[in-house]
Amino acid sequence: MDARLFLEDLYVGQTFISGTFHLDEQQVIDFATIYDPQVFHTDPEKATDSFFKGHAASGWQTAAVTMHLIVTSIPIDCGIIGIGGDLTWLRPVRPGDTLKAESKVTNIQISKSKPDRGVVSWLVETKNQHDEVVQNLTTKILVFRKKP
Amino acid sequence: MDARLFLEDLYVGQTFISGTFHLDEQQVIDFATIYDPQVFHTDPEKATDSFFKGHAASGWQTAAVTMHLIVTSIPIDCGIIGIGGDLTWLRPVRPGDTLKAESKVTNIQISKSKPDRGVVSWLVETKNQHDEVVQNLTTKILVFRKKP
């Protein structure tokens, strides 16, 4: 993480593997209580009768954990400044799961109006400890060139 | 919020206005410390020199707050079960901002293989206290029909 990356250091196909993030039951409940107050996220017992057939993390918590994994594994010099993202949740994340993220550069677009920067597109797969993909994220991040 | 909604209660163009969610400085720091540890989100002082020219909430916190606003304003009977979403962040959310969400049904697709359910598409605009849109979200939610 010492080497800070600029736009000219990135290339299509470049891949970054993150560390891991362990999500315990209390973290799932704490997040859901504030941001996604639904019984299948907040109440381990009542969740057994729900669509998810058990306690599941909010998809938005999976997205937030993925951001932690991106921030700590892709050392862009100016930080990770996202313009937006497109998420698909493929299977539930359960309390006790350990997540990791694999981020691949899919496109690099130099800005025509502001030549000091570009927009880098990524595909980020978030996987659980069984190597199952729980979320796909495509996202665009602003990256600057080295200052001359 | 007493009337629980089923698939047949929803129609294209139907709009739900949420309550509000006030985001204070400590909440911005707490979220970022866990999920988006970058100085422009975690450190109000150092953030002044950053791309955001001041302390800004993580976009993923804006998304999470939006989920709270959706869950508490759209009384779908089975809860809000999202398949995914496409986010665009249009301007920074600052500590002290008060957010609200306006959710509009844009499409309803009955499942061919499982006629007891459908997928409802939404456009959700998240606005600050100045009525400026800070985030657009298009999302698809699973909704069940009334049981016969």
Side-chain angles (χ1 to χ4, degrees):
Chain A
M1 289 288 290
D2 280 347
R4 308 304 296 178
L5 300 175
F6 293 86
L7 190 60
E8 44 271 76
D9 300 316
L10 299 173
Y11 55 89
V12 172
Q14 196 173 5
T15 300
F16 296 81
I17 309 289
S18 76
T20 58
F21 191 111
H22 180 78
L23 207 52
D24 68 26
E25 184 178 279
Q26 195 56 51
Q27 285 172 300
V28 169
I29 294 170
D30 288 349
F31 184 98
T33 302
I34 301 174
Y35 298 111
D36 196 347
Q38 306 195 83
V39 289
F40 36 75
H41 301 317
T42 57
D43 188 326
E45 285 188 25
K46 287 186 186 158
T48 55
D49 290 332
S50 76
F51 175 79
F52 292 103
K53 296 181 171 59
H55 194 197
S58 169
W60 297 103
Q61 186 169 23
T62 304
V65 167
T66 299
M67 187 60 182
H68 173 103
L69 295 169
I70 292 172
V71 165
T72 53
S73 65
I74 310 178
I76 306 282
D77 182 69
C78 61
I80 305 291
I81 300 171
I83 296 162
D86 193 350
L87 292 160
T88 309
W89 294 302
L90 299 168
R91 65 189 75 219
V93 170
R94 305 293 185 182
D97 278 358
T98 298
L99 304 182
K100 62 185 170 186
E102 195 173 312
S103 306
K104 186 184 285 189
V105 176
T106 58
N107 192 50
I108 298 176
Q109 183 77 46
I110 314 273
S111 170
K112 282 172 189 159
S113 58
K114 295 176 179 170
D116 67 333
R117 67 194 68 180
V119 172
V120 179
S121 301
W122 302 78
L123 170 62
V124 182
E125 286 186 330
T126 307
K127 295 178 180 178
N128 63 21
Q129 66 277 17
H130 308 298
D131 224 38
E132 298 165 326
V133 179
V134 295
Q135 177 191 277
N136 274 329
L137 166 67
T138 60
T139 185
K140 291 182 177 183
I141 287 173
L142 185 66
V143 182
F144 289 86
R145 285 175 180 276
K146 280 192 188 77
K147 286 199 178 69
Chain B
M1 289 290 290
D2 278 348
R4 308 304 295 179
L5 299 176
F6 293 86
L7 191 59
E8 44 271 77
D9 299 316
L10 298 174
Y11 55 88
V12 172
Q14 194 173 6
T15 300
F16 295 82
I17 309 290
S18 76
T20 59
F21 192 111
H22 180 78
L23 207 52
D24 67 27
E25 185 178 278
Q26 196 56 51
Q27 285 172 301
V28 169
I29 294 169
D30 289 349
F31 183 98
T33 301
I34 301 173
Y35 298 110
D36 195 347
Q38 306 195 82
V39 289
F40 35 75
H41 300 318
T42 57
D43 188 325
E45 284 187 27
K46 288 186 185 156
T48 55
D49 290 333
S50 76
F51 175 79
F52 292 103
K53 296 183 171 61
H55 194 198
S58 168
W60 297 103
Q61 186 169 24
T62 304
V65 166
T66 299
M67 187 60 183
H68 172 104
L69 295 169
I70 291 171
V71 165
T72 53
S73 64
I74 309 179
I76 306 281
D77 182 69
C78 60
I80 306 290
I81 300 171
I83 296 163
D86 193 349
L87 291 161
T88 309
W89 295 301
L90 300 168
R91 65 189 76 217
V93 170
R94 306 293 185 182
D97 279 359
T98 298
L99 303 181
K100 64 185 170 185
E102 196 173 311
S103 306
K104 186 186 283 189
V105 176
T106 58
N107 192 49
I108 298 175
Q109 183 77 46
I110 313 274
S111 170
K112 282 171 188 160
S113 58
K114 296 176 179 172
D116 66 334
R117 66 192 70 179
V119 172
V120 179
S121 301
W122 302 79
L123 169 63
V124 183
E125 285 186 330
T126 308
K127 295 179 180 178
N128 64 20
Q129 67 277 17
H130 308 299
D131 224 37
E132 297 164 329
V133 179
V134 295
Q135 177 190 277
N136 274 329
L137 166 67
T138 59
T139 186
K140 290 182 177 184
I141 287 172
L142 185 67
V143 182
F144 289 85
R145 287 176 180 275
K146 279 190 189 79
K147 288 200 176 69

